[in-house]
Each structure stands twice: as structure tokens, then as C-alpha cells.
Amino acid sequence: MSEFNLPIVDIAPFLGGDPEAKKRVAREFGDAFENTGFAIITGHGVPLELAETLYKTMTDFFDQQMEKKTVYTPPEQAKGRGYLPIGIESVAKTLSGETPPDLCEALVYAAPHRSESESKNFWPDYPAPLAGLVKEWTGEINALSRHLARLSALALDLPEEFFEDDYSDPSLTLRFVNYPDQPVPPKPGQLRYGEHHDYGALTILRQDSAPGGLEVRDDTGVWREAPVVPDSFVINVGDLLARWTNNRWRSTLHRVSNPPRDLTGSTRRLSMVAFTGPNEHTEIACLPSCQSADNPAMYQPVTCGDYIMSKIKASHELSETE
């Protein structure tokens, strides 16, 4: 399979504050989302040591026996927090109906809003550093999300502070996903993570280089591998942001593939994903710079939280036979 030549955008000049540099980076950022819906960002400022330490800690968590992990499975799966074992989710159901469950397990955290407490999250006792590292990572990703919101505003021909109120108390869900080795062949049509569009605004992904990774469908309908760039994040547009921009920015179909069956050695993969968006009460109505008399708004306004929750529930509604 050929590699997708995704745009690589160094956002360090934008973070540096020079007005002309900000405009240049914003053009690159916006062009990526108008053309492919994906970009790879470097120069993001998130500490490499933190990323590597958290990755190793999450690996240790998933290496435990199943009975140790399921202690942290929430009583209501649709809430999507805590430990989610293999077999309860099929993200492709949101597009194509009945599909086999995805071949992954996850540990999921939702960053609390100002009116909430941390009690809604599940904090494993092992590994001991896990809770502190996740909280530190949450702060870094929240800061990056706010930078990307300002960058997005400029890229969409809006004032840099346009999204400030919407992102003052943002939505943020962290999903640490383990894709185990596959000693048993997958069922027909079963993938590590089925083909789907993301639900929210911008997704921030830190992926590793193990085989069987992110694939993006191009304009011709061909699936192509996303490249792995050291110390970078893959950013992509979700359905909510595509709606907000009147489809000026594209929510592109993607999936996580199964590794080839003839590989020897471990094909285990671990990804660290952040689903970002505005406050859950934000009304998503077509942005003023994305509509005109010749290009009217295509969608009715929706509330951010209601829209995302409807998508999450659909992905968890597996039939009893699964």
C-alpha cells in the first residue's frame, strides 16, 4: 500500500507570535484541511519526554491480565470513560450498520468541565504514575487545542480570538488505544478500528510506528497509509467541524488496518488520541466566513454535546450476536 503524502505543518512560527509567520502557518494549515482533511504538525511544544513516559506507562497498564483491567470498566458503556475491552465497540456502525467489533481495547478519560469533578474518571492503581501523567498530558493537550483553535480561526479568515469563548471550557476526551497482536485471523470485514469519520472538531493523534496503522481514503477511493513522523501529531477534521465550516474543511474517511498475516514478531500498537472540541453547550451553526449568497449554510444548527453523544451511542450499540 502506498503512503499518503499528508501535509506537514511546523506550527512553531505560529506559537512564536510573529504576525506574518502566523498568517503563513494558517494558510498551510487551512489548505491541508480543505484538500485532505488531515495534517501532520511539528513544532507543537508538547514535551517529548512526557509523551514517551506516558506511552510506556500505558503499555504497562494494557499488559496486565484482563481481570485487572476490567475493574475499571464503567457500568454504562455509552458514557465512554474508563477501560473499554475488545468486543463492545464498532465505530464503523455509525456509517454502515452491523459490522464486527473493533480489535482494540482502550482506556478513556474526559477532561472535566469547570463545574465537574475528577470523580467521573477511573484511575487505575497500577501503574502508580498513570494518574499523574494523564493529568499532566491533559494540560498539555488542552493548551495545544487552544493554540489550534486560534490557528483555525486565522485559517478560516476569522479574527484569531474568534473561538476564544467556545474553547474557554472545552470538550476534551483522551483515548489511549491498545491494538494487540492478532494470533487469530480477524473476521471478514473486521479491523483494528473500522472505517469512520471522527465525530467532533479536531482530533489529535500521536501514533507509533508498529505495522497495521492509520489509513486514509483518498479522493479516488484508495486507502493509503499515513506516514509516521517522529515527535509529531496527526490532526484531522471531524464531522462537527466540517459542519461548522459548511464543508469547507473536510471530514475524511479513515481506519486502522490489520497488520499483514505473514509478519513475524510483535505487531502490537498503541496510539494516544485526543478528541477536542468547543464547550458541549456550543451551538454549531455555519461560520460567517464559510457562507455567502452563492454558498448558503448546508446544515441546521446543532448543540455540540448532543451531536457527539448520538454518535458515541451508535458506535456502542452492538447486536447481541456480537
Side-chain angles (χ1 to χ4, degrees):
M1 179 177 292
S2 63
E3 192 172 82
F4 207 144
N5 188 26
L6 297 178
I8 300 175
V9 181
D10 180 4
I11 68 169
F14 177 85
L15 300 180
D18 177 73
E20 290 305 313
K22 285 186 172 186
K23 292 178 183 177
R24 176 178 56 79
V25 175
R27 283 194 299 271
E28 295 175 10
F29 197 67
D31 287 347
F33 293 143
E34 290 184 22
N35 293 322
T36 68
F38 274 80
I40 296 172
I41 64 166
T42 59
H44 45 72
V46 177
L48 176 61
E49 183 179 1
L50 172 61
E52 292 178 339
T53 303
L54 179 57
Y55 180 95
K56 174 61 169 63
T57 302
M58 283 294 166
T59 300
D60 291 342
F61 171 81
F62 287 115
D63 281 345
Q64 296 180 98
Q65 295 296 315
M66 181 61 67
E67 60 268 21
K68 297 284 189 181
K69 295 180 285 189
T70 52
V71 171
Y72 304 103
T73 299
E76 298 178 61
Q77 304 289 6
K79 290 190 177 298
R81 302 189 191 192
Y83 174 71
L84 307 180
I86 293 175
I88 70 166
E89 183 181 29
S90 175
V91 72
K93 278 177 62 69
T94 59
L95 292 179
S96 56
E98 291 299 326
T99 55
D102 299 319
L103 294 172
C104 64
E105 57 183 343
L107 190 59
V108 184
Y109 292 94
H113 295 290
R114 290 171 182 164
S115 60
E116 296 179 334
S117 70
E118 287 284 4
S119 61
K120 291 188 177 182
N121 282 318
F122 295 76
W123 300 105
D125 296 327
Y126 177 87
L130 187 146
L133 288 168
V134 170
K135 291 173 184 177
E136 188 176 353
W137 186 252
T138 298
E140 293 289 344
I141 297 300
N142 249 330
L144 177 58
S145 177
R146 289 192 294 270
H147 293 320
L148 296 182
R150 292 197 297 273
L151 180 54
S152 296
L154 285 183
L156 291 165
D157 309 307
L158 297 165
E160 185 177 338
E161 302 78 18
F162 185 87
F163 295 115
E164 202 72 25
D165 289 343
D166 297 324
Y167 280 83
S168 63
D169 188 19
S171 300
L172 173 63
T173 298
L174 301 177
R175 184 180 177 98
F176 302 94
V177 191
N178 185 53
Y179 302 100
D181 288 322
Q182 296 181 354
V184 178
K187 298 177 182 178
Q190 189 173 35
L191 295 171
R192 281 181 154 176
Y193 210 58
E195 58 187 66
H196 64 286
H197 298 272
D198 286 346
Y199 313 145
L202 290 177
T203 300
I204 301 172
L205 163 68
R206 187 179 181 92
Q207 60 173 343
D208 66 19
S209 58
L214 175 65
E215 295 179 354
V216 181
R217 196 171 75 171
D218 68 17
D219 287 337
T220 68
V222 174
W223 289 100
R224 300 171 67 185
E225 293 179 335
V228 178
V229 176
D231 195 22
S232 70
F233 289 100
V234 179
I235 312 294
N236 68 276
V237 174
D239 287 349
L240 196 76
L241 185 53
R243 246 182 121 103
W244 217 354
T245 64
N246 215 25
N247 286 349
R248 175 173 167 179
W249 284 6
R250 300 172 52 180
S251 177
T252 305
L253 202 64
H254 55 287
R255 67 188 186 185
V256 180
S257 65
N258 297 316
R261 297 301 303 168
D262 58 355
L263 289 180
T264 58
S266 176
T267 58
R268 185 260 191 91
R269 184 181 188 87
L270 194 146
S271 296
M272 303 195 299
V273 192
F275 299 105
T276 74
N279 184 277
E280 62 184 354
H281 302 297
T282 300
E283 182 182 74
I284 305 301
C286 183
L287 295 168
S289 61
C290 298
Q291 60 180 306
S292 65
D294 296 328
N295 182 36
M298 301 170 61
Y299 303 103
Q300 293 296 315
V302 292
T303 301
C304 174
D306 291 343
Y307 181 82
I308 300 299
M309 187 53 64
S310 69
K311 290 283 191 175
I312 293 173
K313 287 181 178 178
S315 73
H316 283 271
E317 289 172 353
L318 292 171
S319 68
E320 291 296 331
T321 57
E322 295 290 358

